Amino acid sequence: MATKPIALPNVGEMLNAHLTAQNVPKAALCRNMDRHPKYLQADVKKTSLKTELLWHYSLALGHNFFADLAAQLPDYFTTNVPDPTLPFKQRIDQLEEEVKLLNVKVEILEGVLK
């Protein structure tokens, strides 16, 4: 369905970039995850990681790597994630209806005053 090829994200680079940008001590992360540092070294060199492992890195670092991956997909892709703006859209619709009603009332009052 995609019209042009979409580049496969490099998850290891994403992880390493986050660790560098946030100045995360790798030894502390490994202790927190009860993981040997050699595995972290290997993970940042991989282009992909198992979902379970990426989940654990997300939890340990308090960072949503899945959202980072999702942001790289085209906007027209579907998702099961609820739209967080839906309540605002519904409220906007209600207010627009109220504005229409008030405009009609204003027109009526202007007609009465003439």
Side-chain angles (χ1 to χ4, degrees):
M1 184 147 179
T3 55
K4 63 179 182 176
I6 301 169
L8 185 66
N10 187 320
V11 179
E13 283 180 3
M14 253 178 36
L15 175 60
N16 195 43
H18 178 78
L19 295 174
T20 302
Q22 298 300 315
N23 228 6
V24 175
K26 291 180 180 178
L29 174 60
C30 290
R31 278 192 305 277
N32 181 308
M33 293 180 68
D34 195 25
R35 195 162 166 79
H36 195 278
K38 72 178 181 181
Y39 295 118
L40 175 59
Q41 277 182 312
D43 289 342
V44 297
K45 292 178 184 173
K46 293 178 183 175
T47 57
S48 66
L49 296 175
K50 288 183 176 182
T51 304
E52 179 181 2
L53 187 54
L54 191 58
W55 182 266
H56 288 295
Y57 278 122
S58 291
L59 293 175
L61 294 166
H63 182 79
N64 189 342
F65 289 104
F66 295 97
D68 292 346
L69 288 169
Q72 295 181 45
L73 292 170
D75 292 339
Y76 60 85
F77 277 30
T78 62
T79 178
N80 291 328
V81 175
D83 182 357
T85 64
L86 188 59
F88 300 113
K89 289 177 183 174
Q90 291 172 338
R91 182 65 178 141
I92 288 169
D93 289 345
Q94 287 174 341
L95 292 171
E96 285 175 346
E97 285 300 314
E98 192 175 323
V99 166
K100 285 179 191 175
L101 195 66
L102 290 171
N103 282 335
V104 168
K105 289 181 178 181
V106 166
E107 287 177 19
I108 292 171
L109 284 172
E110 285 175 344
V112 169
L113 291 174
K114 287 184 181 179

